[in-house]
Amino acid sequence: MVIKNVCCIGAGYVGGPTCSVIAWKCPDLRVTVVDKSEMRINQWNSDKLPIYEPGLDEVVMECRGRNLFFSLDIDTAIRDADLIFISVNTPTKTYGVGKGRAADLKFVESCSRKIAQVATGPKIVVEKSTVPVRAAESIINILTANTRPGISFQVLSNPEFLSEGTAIEDLLNPDRVLIGGEESEGGAKAIEELSWIYQHWIPAKKILTTNTWSSELSKLASNAFLAQRVSSINAISAVCEATGADVSQVAEAVGHDSRVGPKFLQASVGFGGSCFQKDLLNLVYIAECLNLPEVANYWQQVINMNEYQRSRFAKRIVECLFNSVTDKPLAVFGFAFKKNTGDTRESPAMYVCSHLLEEGAHLNIYDPKVAPDQILQDLTSAAMTSEPERVKRLITICDDPYEAVKEAHAIVILTEWDEFKSYDYNKMLLQMKRPAFVFDGRRILNHSALIDLGYHVETIGKRFTRNALVRNAATRQHWHRLQRQKVARNNIHHIMH
Ligand code: UDX
Ligand code: ADP
């Protein structure tokens, strides 16, 4: 089979960017992305794409209408395709057996049934959505049990490793592409076909091939390992706050060990996103089902540490604000789960805000990319509160950070957006109540400069003791004095020569 037509079911954070890059890099392919949501497809066909991702607009604008199409006609796209990506959402189950832990595969199943129903020729079906180990087996069972005789399918696992905010960069220069398939002649051929698509821009040595189950498990394991690193450094951050150590210094020292490496050691208010928690829960559930309770407990602890980190930070805010935030306006900077995305799924900001709202705080929330409706929807959802009307009254969504700080007792940083670093915090201070606090949940601001301005600063993994503050300020004044003397000396030197 020579692949000419590719279809992707699911025009979300994974399907949209992945297929846009495939279309861009493979002009010889016709790529059609379909979705059951009319709104999503209309947005993909408009000037304002449904997701914010640096570099995505340019890629879509170049290919859309050429060899990249967004369509609601799922049946035709499936029928015409030689290869079909399943990129639908696989959220954590909210009902029945495995509730709150297992991945809900109802969308994957309905795609498989649809493919079986409309396919008139052989297809390679590729699971891109994160799924539990052996999900491919369910897909192949549904396909073969429901399809017309004589039509053959190959099911591959090709997990996506892109990170939101750097999706295009990750797709263009991935660390690896992983393709798992059946250990048979048919399986090997299908792997070769998919591999050929990626080889349009990715060196063959970066394309790893495995059996289907290894590929499925590798995706869960990769995310579990990454989440574990964040929980590990966050656990250390709590020790730092209690001892006077500085977590960034510890992270640097630890990360210099080439066996550990420097990445993913940024202590924070906790990890979020659609993948880490979901995949960890999934892994825990699988381990339980396989009667491996020690393994389940081990990975569960990574999630527990994340929850601890979020609630520890929220409690610290209340504690520092004299044990009460009731009726106090607080400015919240950032709501997305990380910078450069408008995605709020499992954002730690949601949990911290929810805690503060429970305590009666008024939150003035500013995020450069998250839509106001999304913030309201998240904080008033049944998972977050039983009193949505009360919560709504306590929230103001601001489109200007300088508005958000008016009369506020504190600035709470919950996402590491770059623009937060360049605000005029002196100007902000003048608008705020005293004492004015900054709670930096992402460790991105210049804390010494803020202390010099007169803020009380609290951050993750470092405690500024009173002595340290005074010492800090004194050292800085001394440094500024030296700098002034140096400039003066240089000026004199300049004048004399
Ligand atoms: C993750 C994986 O990185 C990606 O390979 C997979 O395909 C999907 O899941 P994503 O969730 O988009 O990607 O973002 P990622 O950059 O991994 O960050 C996840 C969370 O961890 C964010 O909330 C981020 O702020 C947090 N984080 C990350 C830290 O708190 N500290 C770090 O050092 C790194
Ligand atoms: P992800 O982050 O995994 O890409 P998203 O929620 O962003 O998840 O996107 C998944 C997309 O899949 C949604 O736009 C949803 O409408 C779509 N989808 C889910 N089930 C089906 C289905 N059976 N047919 C077509 N599209 C579907």
Side-chain angles (χ1 to χ4, degrees), residues 486-497:
K486 201 165 141 195
V487 170
R489 261 200 316 272
N490 281 346
N491 284 347
I492 291 169
H493 183 81
H494 196 67
I495 292 164
M496 289 180 67
H497 295 85

Side-chain angles (χ1 to χ4, degrees), residues 92-133:
T92 304
K93 263 184 100 173
T94 52
Y95 55 88
V97 178
K99 177 180 168 181
R101 287 168 319 149
D104 192 342
L105 292 184
K106 67 179 179 204
F107 301 121
V108 173
E109 181 178 338
S110 85
C111 289
S112 313
R113 289 187 186 280
K114 176 62 98 182
I115 295 168
Q117 184 198 335
V118 302
T120 51
K123 312 273 174 214
I124 298 172
V125 177
V126 184
E127 53 173 31
K128 230 185 202 318
S129 317
T130 307
V131 287
V133 186

Side-chain angles (χ1 to χ4, degrees), residues 33 35 37-45 70-72:
V33 185
D35 202 291
S37 158
E38 189 172 355
M39 192 177 79
R40 271 242 160 136
I41 291 299
N42 288 344
Q43 286 171 325
W44 278 107
N45 282 320
F70 295 94
S71 163
L72 280 168

